Amino acid sequence: MKDRAHTVVEIVPYDDGWPSRFLASAAELSAVLPDAVIEHVGSTSVPGLSSKDTIDIAVGVRDVGTVLTGPVLAALGAAGFAYMPRSFADDPDHAFLHRIVDDHRTDHVHVVPSGSVTFTDYLLFRGFLRADPDAACRYGAAKLDLARRYADRRSVYVDEKQAVVDRLMDEARAWREQR
């Protein structure tokens, strides 16, 4: 049986402490990856947006392979970040780590090439949601609805949410072109 951190979805109101939590996690990551570009992304990076209480972090590096070495993974592990090799297994340029404390996911870390479409999309999505309160509101409402329907089926929630993210990314790309 899987534990709560792997099964339960709970959306909570925006927490003013999320930016500080990001800065603390970013400092830990920077100590191990000093040349990385570290950005707070995802819902917790958008003021006022409800979210899972998990800080999403995009880490841009020159070469993801250098992060996946024994010494680097050991240092990240010592800071509490567990590498999940089966996540994004179809993308060798996307390493995923998470930190779980007391059966609660505190951080999701996405390590990708800093110039990649994935990295720039994380920043675009954040920028769009920060700039468009209506889009952020729609995203928040969709997540709440999905969390109600799939409260104890995290993987289904994640899969269903992807269609919402894809639609909003289309809007974000159009928004970027209009700027």
Side-chain angles (χ1 to χ4, degrees):
M1 171 121 178
K2 290 189 175 186
D3 55 3
R4 180 176 174 77
H6 292 93
T7 57
V8 174
V9 177
E10 182 180 14
I11 303 296
V12 298
Y14 181 80
D15 182 335
D16 289 332
W18 286 338
S20 295
R21 282 180 43 202
F22 161 73
L23 291 173
S25 293
E28 292 175 288
L29 291 164
S30 184
V32 178
L33 304 167
D35 296 327
V37 178
I38 301 173
E39 294 282 345
H40 188 187
V41 296
S43 298
T44 61
S45 72
V46 181
L49 184 58
S50 296
S51 178
K52 295 185 305 295
D53 186 29
T54 304
I55 305 301
D56 286 302
I57 302 170
V59 177
V61 296
R62 184 173 304 166
D63 178 9
V64 173
T66 62
V67 175
L68 300 179
T69 63
V72 175
L73 288 177
L76 290 167
F81 298 101
Y83 173 50
M84 307 305 294
R86 290 186 302 261
S87 298
F88 303 97
D90 59 336
D91 184 357
D93 284 330
H94 191 156
F96 178 73
L97 299 95
H98 67 208
R99 178 161 44 191
I100 297 175
V101 177
D102 296 330
D103 206 20
H104 169 77
R105 287 174 182 252
T106 61
D107 301 87
H108 284 169
V109 179
H110 300 269
V111 181
V112 297
S114 55
S116 68
V117 169
T118 302
F119 189 77
T120 57
D121 277 355
Y122 281 129
L123 302 182
L124 174 61
F125 193 68
R126 177 190 69 191
F128 175 62
L129 292 178
R130 285 178 174 175
D132 189 326
D134 176 64
C137 185
R138 287 184 283 120
Y139 186 44
K143 290 190 309 170
L144 284 169
D145 176 59
L146 290 170
R148 274 191 292 275
R149 290 192 282 151
Y150 307 114
D152 57 357
R153 295 189 296 164
R154 184 182 189 86
S155 63
V156 176
Y157 168 87
V158 170
D159 290 344
E160 293 291 319
K161 188 180 79 165
Q162 188 59 51
V164 176
V165 171
D166 290 345
R167 285 191 301 274
L168 285 167
M169 278 304 299
D170 288 342
E171 291 180 40
R173 290 183 183 101
W175 170 76
R176 178 181 55 199
E177 297 303 316
Q178 295 171 359
R179 294 179 28 188

